[in-house]
Amino acid sequence: MKGPLPAVDVPDDMAGAAGLPRRGRQPAGPGATEPRPEEPLAVIGVGPAGAGRSEVLARLLQLDPAMLAVPAGSWLVLRHSRVPTRAAYVPGYRQPHSYGTDRLAAGPALARPPRRVELSLPEPLLRHFSLVDTPDTAALGVAGVQLLRDAAGRSGAVLFVIAADQAFTAVELHLLAGLARARVEVVFAVTPGAGGWAPVPEGTATTEGTGASVGSPPAPVDPVAVTVEAHRATLLAAVPGLADARWFPLDAADDGADLRRALVGWAADEGLRRASAEPPVLPGSHGRVPVVADPGDWSEQLDRRARSSSRRIRQHLALELANIHLRVVQEIVFGVGCAGLPQLLDREMEALSLLATVQCDEAVRGLVEEAAGQVFGAPLPVGVHRRLHTPVRWGLADHQSEHELDRVLLVTSTGGVAGLTGAGASDALASYPGAGRVEVLPPVAVALSGACWQHWRSPANRDPNAARAWAQRALREVELELSREVSRRFELVRLSLDGVLSDAVDHGMLLA
């Protein structure tokens, strides 16, 4: 075992150089807001390669670990269902790919790895919560850590699996520190290493706390307890906020019953907490909402606020894309190379989509709150705010002319960006989907097409200089397309919200 690692709360100006996420750029970091009560409960499996994470999840469900195998880089979501099904959600397709759930079934020939694979099983444990398996922590990168933090914040719990002969890395400690600050439930499972549990030096024994008299033979030391305590001491030296986290050693003979009971107990408590977090009927959900006597120049202020919000988000996304370009070039030259470029850039695009979606949602909520507050009086009841969403969404559909807002932006093998619209197009883009959206706008969705994988995995396309030029061109096209998309979204929101509030002012009350 290595000695305790230092605290990992690095400054923002050093985080990028260290390969760690900056504190200020987390898109929807856990703890930023409480998860919505309707978000499904889930336990996110996390840990380094070689720790037996899939085996631990399979043991919890009493399954063959081969059933949990997914393509490298894909997330696995296990849900409850009366009929076993397995589906791969691949960006660029409107429908998921179904294939067999038995261990010998061959998966479909896909042009690119799926963002997630959903396995639905009639297992009793999955009635309490879903289980999610994620890529190894060493393969997450900056973008993967952001996605994991967001998923953990919505699901509520993380199961961190580490082997006896492994040590926490700086990236893992940084991730766990963020989860501790967000008050996400973190549970640790320790598995035997390649050589079993940590050996205890000869002659090491103790009589402390055993009740043995002086001179009696010392009690032997349990190597499992020694290993777990060493891991715990290393963790708490860097992340003291996880002092209350529970630890479960799992050897080959352990069926995981204690861990299973602990997770079910958490799900029962968390389910009750979420169910009581929001009243059944929100204030302002029903009844007449009169307009104030003098709403003022709310329409002009709405126009200015929409333009400034759009400009601010476009600038932020441009800076983020510049950071992504630096990371991608570094990985092409010193890391994953040309063959790993599609997987790396696709994960960066997923994190960028999450960032853009969160910022647009927050800005639109601010637009509605400010403009409606001027018309109906502030503070605006939560129910009134929700009632405004439906007519504003209807207005968005009326004002769309050339392109739908609900579409996927696909990076092509030539470095361009193509659009994919239609029902279900954006369903395949989330590594961990949550509850249905209640926001005004559909999510921002950017992904790489399957042709990118085919191009850069070919032995004929292994030139780092060509890869760097392609990445620069692709990111530039993404920036231009996102800039147009954000501008268009806020203009449509302004027109729709202006129409809804103008009708309310004309009639003297909210019509929704």
Side-chain angles (χ1 to χ4, degrees):
M1 300 292 296
K2 297 182 180 179
L5 295 175
V8 292
D9 196 13
V10 297
D12 285 351
D13 56 349
M14 297 174 59
L20 300 174
R22 294 177 174 83
R23 293 194 301 268
R25 71 183 289 269
Q26 297 298 331
T33 57
E34 289 292 328
R36 290 163 49 200
E38 60 269 27
E39 284 283 354
L41 297 178
V43 177
I44 312 293
V46 182
R53 187 177 61 257
S54 295
E55 288 76 7
V56 170
L57 298 181
R59 194 179 307 180
L60 289 175
L61 298 172
Q62 299 178 346
L63 298 174
D64 186 339
M67 292 185 63
L68 308 187
V70 296
S74 301
W75 290 43
L76 173 65
V77 181
L78 297 123
R79 304 185 188 278
H80 184 270
S81 174
R82 295 178 61 184
V83 179
T85 60
R86 184 165 59 180
Y89 289 80
V90 185
Y93 295 87
R94 295 184 178 88
Q95 299 295 329
H97 292 266
S98 299
Y99 51 105
T101 56
D102 62 275
R103 61 175 297 177
L104 300 178
L110 302 175
R112 53 149 294 167
R115 284 269 178 93
R116 76 179 184 277
V117 175
E118 289 195 1
L119 179 58
S120 300
L121 298 167
E123 297 296 333
L125 183 65
L126 297 177
R127 292 180 179 271
H128 300 277
F129 51 82
S130 300
L131 277 174
V132 181
D133 194 13
T134 63
D136 301 329
T137 49
L140 289 174
V142 175
V145 169
Q146 293 178 353
L147 298 173
L148 202 154
R149 280 172 50 89
D150 174 76
R154 291 184 286 118
S155 65
V158 164
L159 173 60
F160 195 100
V161 183
I162 188 170
D165 56 356
Q166 293 177 328
F168 291 101
T169 65
V171 172
E172 292 165 353
L173 290 173
H174 191 278
L175 169 64
L176 291 169
L179 298 177
R181 289 192 297 269
R183 297 184 298 278
V184 172
E185 182 79 6
V186 182
V187 179
F188 292 89
V190 184
T191 59
W197 300 100
V200 179
E202 294 185 7
T204 302
T206 181
T207 59
E208 183 179 355
T210 65
S213 59
V214 177
S216 62
V221 175
D222 183 1
V224 176
V226 170
T227 301
V228 172
E229 187 55 36
H231 274 305
R232 186 174 183 273
T234 301
L235 172 72
L236 297 185
V239 191
L242 292 178
D244 295 332
R246 288 172 288 182
W247 293 75
F248 295 87
L250 298 175
D251 55 25
D254 196 323
D255 62 356
D258 292 339
L259 175 58
R260 193 181 299 111
R261 282 191 292 268
L263 295 177
V264 170
W266 163 81
D269 295 339
E270 179 68 6
L272 288 175
R273 188 194 68 79
R274 294 193 186 189
S276 60
E278 187 173 279
V281 179
L282 296 173
S285 297
H286 304 286
R288 182 175 179 269
V289 184
V291 174
V292 298
D294 182 17
D297 57 346
W298 61 268
S299 182
E300 290 78 5
Q301 293 186 29
L302 172 62
D303 180 75
R304 291 193 296 269
R305 176 75 179 269
R307 294 179 187 276
S308 64
S309 298
S310 174
R311 181 172 58 253
R312 184 181 67 253
I313 293 176
R314 294 198 309 269
Q315 291 173 347
H316 194 177
L317 294 179
L319 291 174
E320 188 62 19
L321 281 162
N323 291 331
I324 292 174
H325 179 246
L326 292 176
R327 289 196 295 269
V328 167
V329 169
Q330 184 179 20
E331 286 293 328
I332 291 173
V333 178
F334 303 108
V336 298
C338 298
L341 173 59
Q343 185 74 69
L344 168 70
L345 190 56
D346 188 66
R347 188 178 294 119
E348 291 282 1
M349 292 300 97
E350 185 178 2
L352 180 72
S353 302
L354 177 62
L355 174 65
T357 299
V358 169
Q359 291 193 341
C360 288
D361 290 344
E362 291 178 350
V364 170
R365 286 196 296 267
L367 289 178
V368 175
E369 187 73 28
E370 181 177 298
Q374 288 184 266
V375 173
F376 302 111
L380 199 65
V382 179
V384 174
H385 196 283
R386 295 275 182 91
R387 288 169 65 182
L388 285 168
H389 282 194
T390 300
V392 172
R393 280 195 292 265
W394 290 343
L396 289 178
D398 294 338
H399 287 99
Q400 292 181 54
S401 55
E402 298 180 1
H403 303 287
E404 296 182 19
L405 291 180
D406 192 2
R407 66 186 186 125
V408 176
L409 303 178
L410 291 173
V411 179
T412 67
S413 60
T414 60
V417 176
L420 177 67
T421 60
S426 61
D427 293 343
L429 269 71
S431 292
Y432 172 67
R437 285 178 58 80
V438 296
E439 305 294 342
V440 170
L441 289 169
V444 177
V446 187
L448 265 67
S449 66
C452 295
W453 264 261
Q454 306 302 316
H455 179 83
W456 291 111
R457 288 184 176 178
S458 171
N461 299 312
R462 297 292 175 87
D463 182 6
N465 292 328
R468 291 168 59 182
W470 178 86
Q472 183 178 21
R473 183 167 62 254
L475 291 174
R476 176 57 179 165
E477 290 298 319
V478 169
E479 179 183 350
L480 293 174
E481 192 63 34
L482 279 182
S483 179
R484 288 191 290 264
E485 183 75 9
V486 170
S487 298
R488 183 168 166 272
R489 285 175 174 235
F490 276 89
E491 177 61 16
L492 292 178
V493 167
R494 183 193 69 81
L495 292 172
S496 179
L497 182 58
D498 189 282
V500 171
L501 296 181
S502 295
D503 289 343
V505 170
D506 293 339
H507 291 82
M509 62 178 177
L510 178 63
L511 301 179

